[in-house]
Amino acid sequence: MSKLRTGVTTGLSAAGAAKAAMIALLSPTAQTVDEVTVFSTYGQELTLAITETSFEGDWVKCGVVKDGGDDPDVTSGLTVYCAVAKSAGTGVELDGGEGIGRVTKPGLKVAVGQAAINPVPRAMISAAIAEVCELYAYTGGIKAVVSIPGGEEVAKKTLNARLGVIGGLSVLGTTGIVEPMSDQALLDTVKTELDVCMASGIERLLIMPGNYGRDFARDELGLDTSECIRCSNFIGETLEYAVEREVPKAVLIGHAGKLVKLAGGIMNTHSKYADCRMEIIAAHAALANAGPALIGQIFQCVTTEAAIDLLVAAGINEAVWQSIGKRIEFYLGEKTKHQLDLEFVVFTQEHGVLVEGALSRADKSGTGKGTAPRGKND
């Protein structure tokens, strides 16, 4: 299998466009270039093609087509532009134009009201501008505007609206390089969502692996899910970050097919790391005095729901899930080092709540007697 191709972030694409535009702005002959050299934050040299250069009054604008490599990046193929012009004073005045969102909620790395251009891309763009200023001995100020035509429509496919970035895309990237199918990129998004929730002053943070948990929390538990974290498979990392951010209280709500893995200490629930659903259920069925025939049938099940149907028919479903719940509590306590007030709810659509529990900060008793987080979100 061939290695997946890396790409270039929107931030470094904007920096490349800025560099080309600055050359055309400051060179005595308004020189246009077909490509520029830029660098990732760890020193990797990249050559970016300049697809367009235009002059309008005092402004020069250049474009770079965003190449996300083999990552399923919704911004791949869009052209990232940067327009530059001289200004009074010194330094770089950076803003966002067409297709760039505006920050409307606190908790992000950019202040409310500013264009959603993250700190590292801002530094990359400013460095590219400064490099050309030094080349041409220019000491005045520069105005720069980043734009991504079509960005407002594409942003509807992202989490921007949930994060409070309205009207377009965010200019992102911490290294300049897009790693294909990056787990880290997904986890960074989860952490950003948590930051936004914390900045809003939330007292009880709802955490769900995905839409099943969100819908169950809203429709069956009556909780307000307008501000919640969908952590995907990164349950352990999300809880560790919740401890780091000193979340007052958290509630983890998830389908049995994912959360049963926690009873085995599996904190990243993606199947590529581990499964063991049937092994865990079968082990706890044995603790509930299931016979060899039933245990064998459980091992043959493909879905958690099918295993639950067998437990229900045998009259031991409640006992099995209470046992599983105690192990979930144990491993959640180990993961959070008992530094988080945490409730959890395990459910399926057909059987409702299977087990629920709670851990108090610094409580290592593992009683397994928590209560479900009923009612509207605090």
Side-chain angles (χ1 to χ4, degrees):
M1 181 178 178
S2 61
K3 183 178 179 181
L4 293 175
R5 189 171 61 89
T6 60
V8 179
T9 63
T10 49
L12 196 57
S13 299
K19 184 174 182 178
M22 285 296 299
I23 292 170
L25 178 71
L26 297 183
S27 62
T29 58
Q31 177 187 359
T32 61
V33 294
D34 295 327
E35 60 184 32
V36 293
T37 299
V38 292
F39 294 88
S40 71
T41 56
Y42 50 83
Q44 180 179 347
E45 181 178 319
L46 298 155
T47 299
L48 302 183
I50 304 303
T51 59
E52 181 181 338
T53 301
S54 61
F55 298 83
E56 185 173 341
D58 297 330
W59 291 83
V60 182
K61 182 170 72 174
C62 288
V64 170
V65 175
K66 164 68 184 294
D67 179 7
D70 288 328
D71 191 69
D73 187 339
V74 296
T75 62
S76 282
L78 295 178
T79 301
V80 181
Y81 290 95
C82 188
V84 296
K86 295 178 181 179
S87 68
T90 59
V92 178
E93 179 186 339
L94 181 60
D95 202 358
E98 179 186 359
I100 304 299
R102 291 273 162 185
V103 176
T104 64
K105 290 183 179 181
L108 298 176
K109 296 179 180 179
V110 178
V112 171
Q114 289 190 350
I117 305 172
N118 272 17
V120 172
R122 284 177 180 270
M124 288 176 169
I125 295 164
S126 295
I129 290 171
E131 178 186 349
V132 181
C133 286
E134 183 177 359
L135 177 65
Y136 291 103
Y138 176 75
T139 58
I142 292 291
K143 293 184 289 185
V145 178
V146 177
S147 59
I148 306 178
E152 184 170 2
E153 186 63 28
V154 172
K156 296 175 183 178
K157 302 176 184 178
T158 73
L159 293 173
N160 274 14
R162 284 173 54 82
L163 298 175
V165 176
I166 304 302
L169 294 164
S170 300
V171 179
L172 303 172
T174 56
T175 66
I177 305 299
V178 175
E179 298 290 346
M181 301 297 290
S182 169
D183 280 357
Q184 188 59 49
L186 292 172
L187 182 56
D188 287 346
T189 299
V190 172
K191 289 182 175 181
T192 299
E193 283 197 88
L194 196 152
D195 289 340
V196 170
C197 286
M198 286 296 290
S200 72
I202 196 166
E203 290 297 322
R204 182 167 63 174
L205 181 68
L206 300 183
I207 303 171
M208 300 93 168
N211 292 333
Y212 286 156
R214 181 200 60 190
D215 295 346
F216 189 85
R218 181 191 62 226
D219 300 337
E220 302 300 327
L221 301 180
L223 298 176
D224 179 2
T225 59
S226 58
E227 287 189 304
C228 64
I229 304 298
R230 279 177 284 183
C231 66
S232 186
N233 294 295
F234 305 108
I235 295 173
E237 291 93 336
T238 301
L239 294 176
E240 286 179 328
Y241 193 60
V243 171
E244 180 182 333
R245 288 302 316 273
E246 299 182 347
V247 169
K249 186 175 184 178
V251 183
L252 173 64
I253 303 172
H255 190 276
K258 279 198 180 293
L259 296 199
V260 69
K261 298 181 184 183
L262 302 182
I266 299 165
M267 291 290 157
N268 186 319
T269 56
H270 198 291
S271 58
K272 70 181 179 181
Y273 296 112
D275 190 350
C276 298
R277 292 168 300 157
M278 300 312 150
E279 289 82 353
I280 291 169
I281 294 172
H284 288 272
L287 291 173
N289 298 317
L294 176 56
I295 292 172
Q297 288 178 305
I298 291 171
F299 269 108
Q300 296 303 312
C301 290
V302 176
T303 66
T304 307
E305 288 87 343
I308 291 171
D309 288 341
L310 293 175
L311 298 175
V312 170
I316 61 172
N317 188 55
E318 183 176 351
V320 168
W321 284 98
Q322 287 300 313
S323 180
I324 289 172
K326 290 178 181 179
R327 296 306 290 170
I328 291 175
E329 278 195 7
F330 171 80
Y331 282 113
L332 289 178
E334 291 293 299
K335 192 63 177 176
T336 62
K337 296 180 172 58
H338 301 275
Q339 296 302 308
L340 178 65
D341 287 336
L342 175 63
E343 300 177 24
F344 67 88
V345 178
V346 183
F347 72 91
T348 66
Q349 282 84 353
E350 181 179 352
H351 297 282
V353 174
L354 295 168
V355 66
E356 52 199 1
L359 300 84
S360 296
R361 199 180 306 266
D363 173 15
K364 300 183 181 181
S365 61
T367 60
K369 296 180 180 179
T371 58
R374 312 292 180 177
K376 293 296 181 181
N377 195 11
D378 295 337

